[in-house]
Amino acid sequence: MQLHQLKYFVAVAEVRHFTQAADIVGITQPSLSKQIHALEDGLGAPLFERVRGNITLTAAGEVLLPLAKRILADVDTATREVQELVGLRRGRVRLGATPSLATSLAPPVLRRFRDAHPTIDLRVEESGSQDLVRDLLRGDLDLALIIMPAQGTDPGLRADPILRESLVVASVEELSVTPETGQLRITDLREQPMVMFREGYDLRDATLQACREAGFEPTIAVDGGEMDAVLSFVEAGLGVALVPGIVVARRPGVRVTRLAPPGVRRTIAVARRRDVVPTHAGRELRRILLDYVRDATNDGDLPPGVEPL
C-alpha cells in the first residue's frame, strides 16, 4: 500500500467516477485504474463495485475510506510541520468557528494573530459545531471554536472549555416580563411564534431542549435559517428566537430580553484532534486565543452574558 494509491482511492470514492478522479489527481485514467487494481491486490479485497457504469464502495472500501483520509491528513500535517520548522514555506492554520463565534470572538483573535505573524496563511471555516467536529476528525481543520454538547465531545478530540455564554430572547417588540426582575421565563414563550435555526445547528437543539424541558413544543413561524437570516426574520417581526447575547449587540432593531434562572447556557471550547500534534502555527493561534480571553476578562470587555471558565 502506497500513499499515492490511497490518494487515488479517495479521489475515486469522492466523485464515484474514474475519469473525473484521474483529472483531479493529474494522471491518466488507465494509470489510475492500474494503481487502484494494485491497491486491491495488495489488500486482497475489491474496493469498488462497477455495475452499469455506477461506482459504489464495497464493504472493504467503506472501511478503508475514513482510514485513508486520516492517513493522508496526517501526512499533510507532518509535511507542513517539518516545512514550517525548516522555513521552506509559509505556515498555514485552519480555524473553524460557529457563526456566532466567527462574528464575535474570532475577529479580534485573528487580528492579533495577523499582527504577530503576517506571513502565516489563515483559513477560516464557519459552520455548526457538529460539522466542525467532523472536519476536525477528518483532518480538515487544525482548531475549532465549538459549543460543547451535553453528552461530551468525541473521544478523538481534545476540547478545552474557555467561556460560558447565556442565551437571550431576541424580538422586535417588547415582551411581557416579570416586573421584579425584568426577565422572561421559558414558559412565557409557549404562545410566542418562534424563528428556528436549521437542522444540525446547535442553537436549534438548545431551543428545542429548553422548550421541551419546560413542558411544551414551540410554535415555529419560520424554520431552517442561518444566523443572519434568523436575526433578519426576527427584525421583520416574524417571531422571537433564542440566540447568544453576543450576536445581537450590533443589531439595534432587535430587543434583548434575559431569561430567568436557570436560563439556557452553553460552554464554548477550543478543540483539536487528540492524536495529532498541533503545528507551530496552530499552537500559536491557540495561545493568542487564550491570551485574548484573559485580557478581555481583565479589561471587562467580554460581551454581556459571557463569562470566562
Side-chain angles (χ1 to χ4, degrees), residues 2-41 47-48 50 55 57 72:
Q2 300 181 32
L3 288 175
H4 69 273
Q5 292 174 336
L6 292 179
K7 179 180 178 182
Y8 300 161
F9 162 70
V10 169
V12 176
E14 288 182 338
V15 300
R16 305 299 170 98
H17 196 282
F18 275 76
T19 301
Q20 293 178 12
D23 291 338
I24 291 171
V25 298
I27 63 173
T28 64
Q29 188 270 327
S31 296
L32 181 138
S33 296
K34 181 178 179 181
Q35 290 298 324
I36 294 295
H37 285 306
L39 178 60
E40 291 175 325
D41 290 342
L47 300 173
F48 296 103
R50 306 160 180 84
I55 305 297
L57 287 169
L72 293 173

Side-chain angles (χ1 to χ4, degrees), residues 69-79 273 275-276:
K69 287 184 175 182
R70 179 166 295 187
I71 290 170
L72 293 173
D74 289 345
V75 169
D76 180 61
T77 298
T79 301
R273 254 179 65 179
D275 61 341
V276 173

Side-chain angles (χ1 to χ4, degrees), residues 33 58 116 137 142 147 165 176 187 195 199 205 208 223 229 294:
S33 296
T58 63
L137 293 172
D142 300 305
I147 303 302
E165 66 176 354
S176 298
T187 52
V195 179
E199 293 280 353
D205 295 337
L208 292 175
D223 197 357
R294 181 200 62 212

Side-chain angles (χ1 to χ4, degrees), residues 22-245:
D23 291 338
I24 291 171
V25 298
I27 63 173
T28 64
Q29 188 270 327
S31 296
L32 181 138
S33 296
K34 181 178 179 181
Q35 290 298 324
I36 294 295
H37 285 306
L39 178 60
E40 291 175 325
D41 290 342
L43 292 172
L47 300 173
F48 296 103
E49 292 180 351
R50 306 160 180 84
V51 180
R52 297 177 181 176
N54 294 321
I55 305 297
T56 60
L57 287 169
T58 63
E62 294 283 2
V63 170
L64 180 60
L65 182 58
L67 298 174
K69 287 184 175 182
R70 179 166 295 187
I71 290 170
L72 293 173
D74 289 345
V75 169
D76 180 61
T77 298
T79 301
R80 288 188 288 110
E81 181 76 1
V82 172
Q83 289 178 336
E84 287 178 21
L85 185 64
V86 300
L88 294 179
R89 66 176 177 87
R90 298 188 311 168
R92 180 187 70 181
V93 62
R94 301 162 299 175
L95 174 69
T98 64
S100 60
L101 298 174
T103 59
S104 57
L105 181 58
V109 171
L110 295 180
R111 177 72 264 177
R112 283 193 180 192
F113 186 87
R114 171 61 66 206
D115 289 343
H117 305 283
T119 63
I120 299 296
D121 181 17
L122 277 173
R123 302 187 185 181
V124 178
E125 177 181 332
E126 181 181 345
S127 192
S129 290
Q130 296 174 30
D131 295 335
L132 296 177
V133 166
R134 178 202 63 204
D135 291 341
L136 279 170
L137 293 172
R138 291 195 313 194
D140 294 337
L141 293 173
D142 300 305
L143 293 172
L145 292 167
I146 65 170
I147 303 302
M148 294 276 285
Q151 69 273 21
T153 56
D154 188 286
L157 295 182
R158 173 181 170 178
D160 299 315
I162 57 173
L163 296 168
R164 182 175 290 115
E165 66 176 354
S166 298
L167 300 186
V168 299
V169 180
S171 66
V172 71
E173 297 180 352
E174 186 173 354
L175 301 176
S176 298
V177 298
T178 303
E180 295 79 12
T181 64
Q183 297 174 331
L184 198 70
R185 297 167 300 181
I186 286 290
T187 52
D188 293 329
L189 300 177
R190 185 189 301 269
E191 305 302 325
Q192 290 285 345
M194 300 194 71
V195 179
M196 193 64 63
F197 291 89
R198 65 168 171 82
E199 293 280 353
Y201 226 75
D202 310 286
L203 287 165
R204 180 188 185 91
D205 295 337
T207 300
L208 292 175
Q209 180 180 350
C211 293
R212 288 166 181 168
E213 287 179 351
F216 69 96
E217 286 290 325
T219 300
I220 300 177
V222 183
D223 197 357
E226 299 278 351
M227 179 62 73
D228 282 343
V230 166
L231 291 175
S232 295
F233 295 151
V234 170
E235 287 176 319
L238 294 171
V240 305
L242 277 183
V243 300

